[in-house]
Amino acid sequence: MADQVKTIGVLTSGGDAPGMNAAIRAVVRTAIARGLKVKGIERGYMGLLHEDIKDMQTRDVSDIIQKGGTILGTARCPEFAKLEVQQKGADICRKHGIDGLVVIGGDGSYRGAQALARLGINAVGLPGTIDLDISCTDYTIGFDTAVNTAMEAIDKVRDTSSSHERCSIIEVMGRNAGYIALWCGIANGAEDILIPEEYDYNEQTIINHIIAKRKIGKKHHIIINAEGIGHSNSMAKRIEAATGMETRATILGHMQRGGSPTCKDRYYASVMGAYAVDLLIQGKTKRVVAYKAGEFVDFDIEEALAMQKEIPAYSLEVSKLLSL
Ligand code: ADP
Ligand code: F6P
């Protein structure tokens, strides 16, 4: 049996997400409570390569559970996809005595963790992304806060849209994934939801929809557009020209990534952080923590990365029914 892990490193990587701090806090405190040492690695794989590594004690994670962002910082480090760079990362872990690593991030970050695990560093991934686009899990850290932030912002736009009898295109985050758009589309009662997974780029359908809704007395027309489709400003101009309905675009942008995490994000991130440490203590490596069918579970990273996730077709159908 492998030697028991003695020192756990923790890093956040890729786009930040509210709840990452709760996960860091849980990793640090669970590890210390179980008699291990913890090292915080700043700015993801970039900080690992620069050896921006510090010892962490229980008090270092005081007063952070309610804070958005990540106290460790995060970064994108494209060179970490190269084998020689990954080898350097693994050597640095060894140099600092890090024999277990918790990586909090999305699919890309999991690939880095997978590479380090292959090079002998026990590694576990936690799903940290506002996009909900990790196939093996029904929940990702930050999604709940992000959709609630977006939902509140869209409610505000809707007020003014109704007063002025306008069409509003509201762009939400999600470069490759339409989960934020879908959830807000339903929660905000949008007339149209455009998501990268299914949009056919036929604007005439939207235009016809607006004209039809106006005829039955709708005062506004809310379109939730996912970032992956984008072009909200030019779309607004074309829609206004074609329908005669004043149209404005609002791009919510990075405000969706910030702010104090919801109770759900704090709770799930805390349990997942502890779970990751316990996996490492059990001698498990190359695993990712997930929430599936009402339970916290774990999968092999490779298996998790090979899984596919689809936008729920029934929810999409419902979104269309309810915009009548
Ligand atoms: P996310 O983790 O949210 O999916 P990215 O795709 O930007 O975000 O990935 C975050 C980081 O993970 C990258 O900047 C890089 O450091 C690392 N990463 C991404 N892809 C790979 C890969 N194929 N191999 C090793 N590391 C990777
Ligand atoms: O992955 C989270 C996310 O917010 C995506 O929705 C978005 O496409 C991307 O990150 C934006 O990244 P950046 O912070 O580099 O603009």
Side-chain angles (χ1 to χ4, degrees), residues 40-295:
I41 301 164
E42 293 174 343
R43 302 194 316 282
Y45 297 116
M46 188 72 87
L48 175 64
L49 296 175
H50 286 98
E51 298 189 50
D52 295 329
I53 299 172
K54 57 183 184 193
D55 290 334
M56 293 189 85
Q57 308 300 337
T58 53
R59 294 276 72 79
D60 294 326
V61 290
S62 297
D63 201 27
I64 66 166
I65 195 166
Q66 77 283 15
K67 291 186 177 146
T70 155
I71 59 155
L72 289 174
T74 185
R76 297 217 164 77
C77 177
E79 64 267 35
F80 208 73
K82 293 186 198 140
L83 181 61
E84 66 271 23
V85 179
Q86 295 161 0
Q87 265 156 350
K88 184 178 170 196
D91 289 342
I92 291 170
C93 285
R94 274 185 277 271
K95 177 177 161 192
H96 288 263
I98 295 170
D99 46 12
L101 181 67
V102 178
V103 170
I104 309 168
D107 276 358
S109 305
Y110 285 1
R111 291 185 196 281
Q114 178 186 33
L116 289 170
R118 282 185 182 142
L119 294 166
I121 306 299
N122 299 317
V124 171
L126 287 189
T129 169
I130 64 162
D131 288 347
L132 196 66
D133 62 344
I134 300 181
S135 303
C136 67
T137 184
D138 299 336
Y139 164 83
T140 62
I141 296 167
F143 175 75
D144 189 58
T145 307
V147 278
N148 277 290
T149 300
M151 182 191 75
E152 285 171 18
I154 295 164
D155 280 344
K156 294 183 170 80
V157 177
R158 186 188 169 113
D159 288 344
T160 166
S161 199
S162 294
S163 307
H164 286 262
E165 298 188 31
R166 281 176 175 161
C167 170
S168 288
I169 303 174
I170 303 154
E171 189 172 310
V172 296
M173 270 190 159
R175 199 172 288 155
N176 304 309
Y179 295 98
I180 298 178
L182 174 65
W183 278 61
C184 288
I186 292 181
N188 292 98
E191 277 65 37
D192 281 297
I193 304 173
L194 313 182
I195 59 172
E197 292 88 343
E198 70 130 33
Y199 184 50
D200 61 3
Y201 290 85
N202 182 356
E203 263 174 27
Q204 195 55 49
T205 312
I206 304 171
I207 290 163
N208 294 344
H209 198 202
I210 294 172
I211 294 167
K213 296 286 169 178
R214 286 231 91 178
K215 280 198 185 132
I216 60 164
K218 278 243 177 183
K219 294 254 182 270
H220 60 237
H221 195 99
I222 304 293
I223 302 171
I224 309 294
N225 185 28
E227 177 194 3
I229 293 164
H231 302 288
S232 297
N233 284 306
S234 56
M235 199 187 283
K237 289 200 180 92
R238 288 191 296 275
I239 284 177
E240 181 166 315
T243 61
M245 188 174 192
E246 261 193 322
T247 303
R248 297 285 188 271
T250 305
I251 298 170
L252 298 184
H254 289 82
M255 68 173 291
Q256 295 159 93
R257 284 231 302 255
S260 180
T262 58
C263 181
K264 181 170 180 174
D265 278 329
R266 297 181 200 191
Y267 176 90
Y268 281 54
S270 297
V271 176
M272 286 181 154
Y275 191 118
V277 171
D278 283 335
L279 283 177
L280 289 167
I281 290 173
Q282 288 157 29
K284 295 197 179 162
T285 179
K286 212 161 65 66
R287 306 294 293 176
V288 291
V289 180
Y291 186 79
K292 201 84 192 146
E295 277 186 71

